[in-house]
Amino acid sequence: MYGNDFGTPTEPEQPVAAATDDELQQEFQALIDGDGRIEPRDWMPEAYRKGLIRQIAQHAHSEIIGMQPEGNWITRAPSLRRKAILMAKVQDEAGHGLYLYAAAETLGADRADLLDLLHTGKQKYSSIFNYPTLTWADMGAIGWLVDGAAIVNQVPLCRCSYGPYARAMIRVCKEESFHQRQGFEILHTLSQGTDAQKAMAQDAANRWWWPSLMMFGPPDDESPHSAQSMQWGIKRFSNDELRQRFVDMTAPQAEVLGITLPDPDLRWNDERGSYDFGEIDFTELFEVIKGNGPCNKQRLEHRVRAHTDGAWVREAADAYADKQAAKGRRAVA
Ligand code: BYC
């Protein structure tokens, strides 16, 4: 036992009583309420950890499945410039998936297990990627609307209470912002073009508008996870709040593009300081989530095939890692 500065003996140290679950819970909530961040080694309730893995995994799956609808157009992009931009964007989505799987791993999840859950249909990915990309204008509509919706949903996630997820989202959002602009620019070009090009842009907006509104999830009163997720600072705004924010942001942009959004009830409401919009057919969202969207089967089959075809890459990476580890052991011996 060390003495203090005055040479007098200190009191014998008392064993520190382990904090009770209630105390840990209170500290955890206080940290979140004070806008602090939870880090991987911090104590967290099991339900927080599991809920985050659920959301981050679904998000990661959405990013990698989201490569398919646009990947479909890389070989058919109308110019070398468009091809290079689209290829960069699709590669960005792969990168987003990787950051997000890595964030899920900090919570103890295993990446291979998460992929199994995706491949067996036990974990979801965003409904939006179960719609087909029929024309080049769909690349514009995805960038403008889908990435636009993604930004509105994901910017608040940069302040999510879980540190690794929040930090991953900062880079994701910067890249999404470029994606949104490239989509807008595709539609802007088409909307200045021939009548056929204008019609193509309008048709794409008609098909992607409602599914984009559904990306924000079910209405608040049918969203089972929202209340807890907001208390834990994972979500900062509700599904309906973000959906409204997206409509308010996008409606004026449609005017610039000369595109009519396919909603006769869409109009500015002076009193609310927001746009009113028509009723969303949420039965469509629930059907797509259940696996009955136009492309669910195709997307999952393609994903499983790509994973199977890539087995040799994972095996080679494992063999290389084993070789490096063995080299390291020999160097130490
Ligand atoms: N699609 O209680 P709720 C991108 C599920 S990536 C499918 O409101 P929560 C991009 C929900 O998961 C876009 N499922 O849930 C990529 C839950 O199911 P479980 C992806 C949906 O979590 C490439 C159940 O319905 N973005 O933009 O509080 C290229 C009840 O819902 C959907 C993210 O993942 C849906 N639309 O809120 C281009 C962002 N909506 O788990 C672009 C992160 C709901 O009970 N995620 N469900 O089986 C979130 O912000 C939230 O998880 C959600 C849902 C707002 C999506």
Side-chain angles (χ1 to χ4, degrees):
M1 184 63 57
Y2 300 103
N4 63 21
D5 290 348
F6 304 102
T8 50
T10 52
E11 291 292 311
E13 277 178 19
Q14 298 298 318
V16 181
T20 62
D21 264 9
D22 271 357
E23 285 164 346
L24 290 167
Q25 180 79 48
Q26 276 167 19
E27 276 173 34
F28 168 84
Q29 193 61 51
L31 186 66
I32 288 174
D33 295 343
D35 205 19
R37 295 289 171 272
I38 306 296
E39 296 298 336
R41 289 199 178 87
D42 293 344
W43 183 90
M44 60 186 86
E46 190 51 18
Y48 175 84
R49 194 181 69 80
K50 285 202 173 131
L52 266 173
I53 292 177
R54 173 194 70 82
Q55 175 167 328
I56 298 173
Q58 287 180 9
H59 194 166
H61 300 332
S62 305
E63 298 285 355
I64 61 168
I65 295 270
M67 296 166 73
Q68 292 185 37
E70 290 171 292
N72 182 34
W73 277 89
I74 291 175
T75 53
R76 289 178 284 162
S79 69
L80 184 60
R81 176 175 167 266
R82 292 292 187 201
K83 192 192 286 273
I85 294 171
L86 188 59
M87 211 145 57
K89 176 183 192 292
V90 172
Q91 282 174 350
D92 283 351
E93 311 300 357
H96 299 174
L98 294 181
Y99 317 148
L100 288 163
Y101 285 120
E105 283 174 327
T106 66
L107 290 155
D110 180 87
R111 190 179 305 208
D113 292 346
L114 297 180
L115 286 170
D116 271 351
L117 292 168
L118 168 66
H119 296 158
T120 51
K122 292 183 188 134
Q123 254 175 5
K124 299 186 170 78
Y125 59 88
S126 180
S127 52
I128 194 73
F129 302 116
N130 293 306
Y131 292 86
T133 42
L134 304 179
T135 71
W136 170 251
D138 288 18
M139 297 306 96
I142 290 186
W144 176 44
L145 298 174
V146 175
D147 291 281
I151 293 171
V152 171
N153 168 265
Q154 293 174 16
V155 165
L157 289 174
C158 299
R159 290 174 47 234
C160 155
S161 60
Y162 187 58
Y165 190 25
R167 290 189 287 275
M169 292 317 299
I170 293 171
R171 176 151 174 191
V172 170
C173 285
K174 285 187 180 154
E175 292 174 351
E176 293 296 4
S177 175
F178 150 66
H179 298 169
Q180 198 264 357
R181 276 154 189 259
Q182 68 85 41
F184 185 87
E185 200 250 344
I186 289 175
L187 289 183
H188 192 254
T189 306
L190 290 174
S191 69
Q192 316 269 306
T194 62
D195 285 350
Q197 286 171 320
K198 285 181 195 160
M200 201 197 283
Q202 180 63 56
D203 170 63
N206 290 348
R207 284 181 291 105
W208 289 93
W209 174 247
W210 291 105
S212 298
L213 293 187
M214 292 173 201
M215 281 176 75
F216 294 92
D220 292 351
D221 56 2
E222 291 180 57
S223 162
H225 299 298
S226 277
Q228 182 63 83
S229 184
M230 287 177 80
Q231 194 203 345
W232 279 338
I234 298 172
K235 271 179 159 173
R236 299 271 170 172
F237 301 96
S238 75
N239 296 357
D240 287 333
E241 283 169 333
L242 292 176
R243 199 174 350 256
Q244 179 72 60
R245 199 177 277 194
F246 172 68
V247 174
D248 291 346
M249 178 183 96
T250 312
Q253 295 174 356
E255 281 175 34
V256 174
L257 291 173
I259 282 175
T260 308
L261 292 171
D263 178 359
D265 296 325
L266 182 74
R267 67 181 59 87
W268 177 253
N269 181 327
D270 237 347
E271 237 167 72
R272 289 199 313 118
S274 264
Y275 281 86
D276 290 335
F277 56 97
E279 213 170 299
I280 298 171
D281 176 9
F282 281 109
T283 52
E284 178 177 324
L285 172 67
F286 295 128
E287 277 305 306
V288 177
I289 292 180
K290 268 197 270 168
N292 303 326
C295 300
N296 295 58
K297 196 165 170 282
Q298 176 189 336
R299 299 286 185 244
L300 215 49
E301 278 175 4
H302 185 88
R303 172 66 214 149
V304 171
R305 198 164 52 245
H307 189 70
T308 311
D309 290 350
W312 69 272
V313 179
R314 293 187 295 281
E315 283 160 19
D318 283 346
Y320 181 75
D322 288 348
K323 201 165 117 187
Q324 292 302 105
K327 250 194 209 167
R329 279 196 299 275
R330 275 200 302 277
V332 171

